[in-house]
Amino acid sequence: MNKGRLYVFSGPSGVGKDTVLSLLLSRSDLTKSVSATTRAPREGETDGVDYYFVTKEQFETLIREGGMLEYTVYAGNYYGTPKAPVEAWLSEGKDVILKIEVDGGAQIKTLMPESIGIFILPPSKEELERRLRMRGTDSEEAVQKRLAAALNELSCAERYDYRVVNDDLDLCVDEILAILKKNKKKSR
Ligand code: ADP
Ligand code: 5GP
């Protein structure tokens, strides 16, 4: 059976990744990997759907047992991709998408060079800060941490196979759908 394709989906916090991804998932046959994290759930987030919310001890056990495809520490918390489900989906021929930050993205590219990286860019830094604050789920301290991380993330955009600006939401999703189509056509 053909192996599925692995997509890495990154971009600075607040750029609109979740918004774009939920539309993208409704308009494609991508399977989204659910990450594990040690950060606290935000209002409206569900364990096992948005993330697997685990303790630091549980996360470190998973690392020790080789259960993480990649992982990183971001804004003071662990985030990582559980390995087993991704490997199973790919071997079933499913196309999988990981919504992860740039350090994890670099780990995946080294591990699986055939993976396809898509980086979401904001229309401007001012608009990025506006969206980050508009979300209103983080404290001022967390916003500042995320802004600093965002500037670092933007400098990594060039490492990705594709860069897409999230200005008009529908256009952004259309552009990503075109990328998926193009990569489906390529022989495996
Ligand atoms: P991320 O997952 O990258 O942290 P979110 O999807 O949570 O970002 O989006 C952050 C904020 O920006 C949300 O309030 C969302 O509604 C808004 N947003 C997302 N995409 C757009 C867009 N194209 N135009 C205007 N606002 C947007
Ligand atoms: P948030 O706390 O806003 O949900 O996520 C913070 C950052 O962690 C985002 O850039 C998100 O894409 C990233 N992230 C989420 N899951 C993972 C993961 O499994 N691995 C890595 N490396 N980053 C992740």
Side-chain angles (χ1 to χ4, degrees):
M1 184 189 282
N2 283 340
K3 271 197 76 161
R5 294 182 191 290
L6 184 62
Y7 287 92
V8 171
F9 187 69
S10 301
S13 187
V15 76
K17 295 185 298 299
D18 278 333
T19 311
V20 171
L21 194 54
S22 70
L23 257 181
L24 187 63
L25 292 175
S26 72
R27 292 173 61 187
S28 68
D29 57 3
L30 286 173
T31 300
K32 184 191 170 288
S33 158
V34 179
S35 296
T37 184
T38 56
R39 87 150 157 75
R42 297 193 185 116
E43 210 181 305
E45 284 184 331
T46 308
D47 186 36
V49 176
D50 300 288
Y51 282 105
Y52 295 107
F53 294 101
V54 299
T55 63
K56 189 162 174 271
E57 290 67 32
Q58 287 170 324
F59 202 104
E60 287 175 346
T61 302
L62 276 167
I63 297 171
R64 264 200 315 278
E65 292 175 350
M68 288 300 185
L69 194 55
E70 60 73 35
Y71 71 92
T72 196
V73 174
Y74 179 94
N77 285 298
Y78 278 121
Y79 292 82
T81 305
K83 191 194 276 180
V86 173
E87 288 184 342
W89 288 320
L90 291 177
S91 66
E92 287 164 15
K94 289 183 176 155
D95 290 344
V96 178
I97 191 159
L98 311 180
K99 193 203 86 173
I100 62 179
E101 52 67 68
V102 293
D103 177 39
Q107 293 175 47
I108 295 289
K109 200 65 181 173
T110 305
L111 207 65
M112 304 162 98
E114 71 284 7
S115 64
I116 299 151
I118 302 175
F119 193 94
I120 305 298
L121 290 166
S124 66
K125 286 183 187 162
E126 292 71 28
E127 173 63 9
L128 177 65
E129 181 163 355
R130 193 188 70 78
R131 288 185 194 170
L132 207 48
R133 291 185 185 283
M134 196 171 65
R135 199 170 57 180
T137 50
D138 294 314
S139 66
E140 180 57 27
E141 192 196 345
V143 168
Q144 289 305 330
K145 267 195 192 171
R146 279 166 190 279
L147 266 178
L151 294 182
N152 175 47
E153 295 229 341
L154 282 175
S155 70
C156 301
E158 292 306 311
R159 294 196 214 137
Y160 282 69
D161 299 293
Y162 299 94
R163 284 158 291 285
V164 181
V165 178
N166 178 24
D167 190 355
D168 179 277
L169 182 60
D170 280 320
L171 282 182
C172 177
V173 174
D174 283 346
E175 227 176 294
I176 300 170
L177 287 170
I179 293 169
L180 302 186
K181 201 169 161 190
K182 192 165 135 190
N183 282 281
K184 255 209 172 24
K185 271 197 198 146
K186 285 188 193 162
S187 59
R188 292 179 190 231

